[in-house]
């Protein structure tokens, strides 16, 4: 079952429904890897057809380490998606990546463990050794950056996303280590999503929305969940105009 889909969007924390979708239909997909995070919602936006999936479920019931990333990516691919934008809530490590900043990262370091990281984990499936030197699709990254510029929204080009296990936030020592490793951002959902997209030969890029400074990187002694979601709401409001420009280009 395939549909004409111009773009698939995976919503992270704070983005459980895509605003402005019209003529919507819901699709529950049976996958070989179990259930996806929820129904894929298709609709018209900016004159194009998009598919939207809430990564954590529409009621945020799935913690990062329990998301069925394989099912999610397989479902979007099965429905006809060929370009995917992952919206990820992150913490900022680099000084210029403070709350409400929007970043289009270009690299990943994976600190997660115990997740199903490949479609090759199933017995009898051909083993693929994907080239993951550049984890995000360069052309889609550039299209996102150009769309943000046309929309008049400031985004940061490049940065290394460090993917941690969650759902807890990190210690100061862990963030200090990640900073030494070269990470600019920290999040819990960037992997294995990006690698699975590559295995399916999907174009994939990330819009990282900074909700807070990571532990030890800001002035706050303690990270407030209330403040995180306030910052996240402000950054999330910038997503639809960026994607509208992307779809019109």
């Amino acid at each position: 079952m395939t549909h004409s889909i111009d773009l698939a969007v995976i919503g992270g924390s704070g983005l459980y429904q895509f605003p402005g979708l019209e003529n919507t239909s819901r699709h529950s997909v049976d996958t070989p890897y179990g259930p996806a995070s929820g129904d894929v919602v298709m609709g018209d936006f900016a004159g194009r057809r998009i598919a939207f999936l809430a990564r954590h479920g529409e009621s945020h019931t799935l913690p990062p380490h329990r998301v069925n990333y394989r099912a999610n990516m397989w479902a979007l691919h099965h429905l006809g998606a060929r370009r995917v934008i992952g919206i990820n809530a992150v913490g900022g490590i680099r000084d210029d990546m403070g709350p409400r900043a929007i970043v289009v990262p270009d690299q990943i370091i994976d600190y997660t463990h115990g997740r199903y990281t490949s479609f090759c984990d199933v017995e009898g499936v051909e083993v693929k050794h994907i080239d993951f030197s550049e984890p995000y699709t360069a052309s889609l990254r550039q299209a996102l950056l150009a769309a943000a510029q046309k929309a008049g929204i400031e985004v940061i080009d490049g940065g290394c996303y460090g993917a941690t296990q969650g759902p807890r936030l990190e210690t100061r020592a862990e963030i200090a280590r990640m900073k030494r490793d070269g990470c600019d951002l920290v999040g819990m959902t960037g992997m294995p999503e990006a690698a699975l997209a590559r295995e399916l030969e999907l174009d994939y890029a990330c819009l990282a929305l900074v909700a807070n400074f990571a532990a030890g990187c800001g002035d706050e002694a303690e990270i407030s969940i209330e403040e995180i979601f306030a910052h996240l709401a402000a950054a999330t409001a910038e997503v639809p105009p960026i994607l509208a420009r992307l779809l019109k280009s």
Side-chain angles (χ1 to χ4, degrees), residues 4-143:
S4 177
I5 298 173
D6 294 290
L7 185 70
V9 179
I10 302 176
S13 296
L15 185 59
Y16 310 114
Q17 289 90 29
F18 194 87
L21 268 192
E22 299 177 339
N23 305 316
T24 59
S25 58
R26 301 179 71 92
H27 301 262
S28 177
V29 181
D30 291 327
T31 88
Y33 308 97
S37 295
D39 290 347
V40 177
V41 180
M42 290 195 200
D44 297 325
F45 177 73
R48 302 285 184 172
R49 195 74 174 160
I50 76 167
F52 177 79
L53 177 62
R55 186 186 289 113
H56 299 283
E58 292 180 0
S59 301
H60 200 120
T61 52
L62 296 167
H65 64 299
R66 295 293 186 193
V67 171
N68 192 338
Y69 296 94
R70 292 191 303 180
N72 287 352
M73 298 309 295
W74 193 93
L76 292 173
H77 181 264
H78 177 69
L79 289 170
R82 295 297 176 264
R83 298 193 302 167
V84 181
I85 301 293
I87 313 296
N88 299 78
V90 298
I93 297 176
R94 211 167 82 188
D95 290 346
D96 62 336
M97 295 183 180
R100 306 192 182 196
I102 301 176
V103 186
V104 182
D106 61 348
Q107 280 297 328
I108 298 174
I109 298 178
D110 188 3
Y111 300 93
T112 66
H113 53 85
R115 302 182 183 190
Y116 288 109
T117 60
S118 171
F119 292 106
C120 304
D121 288 336
V122 179
E123 189 174 343
V125 172
E126 178 192 356
V127 176
K128 285 185 178 180
H129 298 284
I130 55 168
D131 179 3
F132 207 51
S133 307
E134 303 295 332
Y136 302 106
T137 305
S139 59
L140 190 53
R141 282 193 68 256
Q142 292 306 315

